[in-house]
Amino acid sequence: MSDEAERKMQFLFALRSRGVTDRAVLTAMEKIDRAAFIRHYFTDRAYEDTPLPIACGQTISQPSVVGLMTQALQVTSRDKVLEIGTGSGYQAAILSSLARRVYTIDRHRRLVTEAREVFERLGFVNITALIADGSRGLPDQAPFDRIVVTAAAEDPPGPLLAQLKIGGIMVLPVGQSDAVQSLIRVTRTEDGFDYDELRPVRFVPLVEGLGNEP
Ligand code: SAH
């Protein structure tokens, strides 16, 4: 077996052993090359189950966490999905192979520009990446079937709850940035919201306003 095939097999094994069991999610993660979303010397480590640094002081999430969040979101091919926190674009790419349409937002211009280049190069045509403060959601395209937030807020942001369809699901980390955060799943029902706590996680904080780089 080639080194590449061996690394990929170990990658999938690590995902499964950490609870990513959904077949469609595993297939998407097998198909989409994480190294394409990581620049420079960290590309060698793309298939390790570890978060890695990206530009603007942010991180590409740990693959098993991407898998668990995607699985908890129960995406179908009819869904319009909103992601807050484009970062490298990896999570958006995984979502795009499961959903009808993905909107992804980041507050850093550079991250959005670089992610768009990767989406174009790899042919992910159903993703729209936008520079904006994601804590306000994307009112123009609301409501959404699914929303995923990949940065931690103290509580689920009100505008995001308001932009979730009835029957829709949102997955997000909540808690203070330097403390233990919980990954939660919020389901919108006819008369309110149901909350499930999934597991402890650690994400960079959701910061209001745009990044201040040129
Ligand atoms: N999903 C990413 C990882 C994201 S890291 C991936 O697959 O690589 C979290 C991202 O959230 C960072 O890029 C950060 O810039 C972004 N972020 C933080 N606060 C934000 C906000 N208010 N609006 C939009 N993006 C935000």
Side-chain angles (χ1 to χ4, degrees):
M1 194 184 291
S2 70
D3 283 1
E4 174 69 22
E6 170 89 33
R7 264 190 280 172
K8 206 143 212 195
M9 208 178 76
Q10 278 173 6
F11 178 71
L12 290 168
F13 180 77
L15 292 175
R16 277 198 209 93
S17 68
R18 296 195 166 127
V20 184
T21 51
D22 184 285
R23 220 164 240 287
V25 174
L26 286 167
T27 304
M29 294 187 77
E30 181 175 9
K31 198 175 64 183
I32 296 168
D33 181 12
R34 186 168 180 251
F37 298 86
I38 298 167
R39 300 200 169 205
H40 314 302
Y41 40 88
F42 286 112
T43 48
D44 291 359
R45 302 184 56 192
Y47 285 108
E48 290 176 26
D49 189 27
T50 180
L52 292 168
I54 56 172
C56 305
Q58 304 302 316
T59 48
I60 178 171
S61 311
Q62 186 176 352
S64 56
V65 173
V66 172
L68 290 169
M69 288 177 87
T70 309
Q71 178 170 289
L73 214 52
Q74 298 169 16
V75 179
T76 77
S77 56
R78 296 182 302 276
D79 289 344
K80 180 162 80 168
V81 182
L82 174 64
E83 180 196 27
I84 309 302
T86 312
S88 68
Y90 179 64
Q91 168 83 74
I94 302 292
L95 292 168
S96 89
S97 70
L98 302 167
R100 175 170 59 83
R101 185 112 203 83
V102 177
Y103 291 88
T104 181
I105 300 181
D106 206 287
R107 58 190 290 277
H108 288 292
R109 174 179 302 277
R110 174 169 171 197
L111 294 174
V112 172
T113 307
E114 291 182 358
R116 280 183 188 146
E117 283 167 18
V118 184
F119 299 149
E120 198 165 319
R121 180 153 51 83
L122 301 184
F124 293 109
V125 293
N126 63 343
I127 309 178
T128 304
L130 300 163
I131 305 151
D133 176 0
S135 55
R136 299 169 184 202
L138 186 57
D140 289 358
Q141 295 297 335
F144 295 94
D145 300 288
R146 302 288 185 264
I147 300 178
V148 61
V149 188
T150 62
E154 261 175 61
D155 297 299
L160 298 183
L161 290 170
Q163 290 171 30
L164 191 60
K165 269 188 199 166
I166 292 175
I169 299 174
M170 168 154 69
V171 172
L172 76 166
V174 289
Q176 279 167 359
S177 59
D178 49 354
V180 179
Q181 305 156 359
S182 277
L183 189 65
I184 63 165
R185 173 166 53 195
V186 183
T187 309
R188 185 163 195 173
T189 62
E190 290 283 351
D191 28 56
F193 296 94
D194 287 344
Y195 294 85
D196 291 314
E197 202 168 320
L198 304 176
R199 50 169 271 160
V201 279
R202 194 160 188 160
F203 276 83
V204 298
L206 188 75
V207 179
E208 286 190 16
L210 294 182
N212 54 11
E213 76 274 14

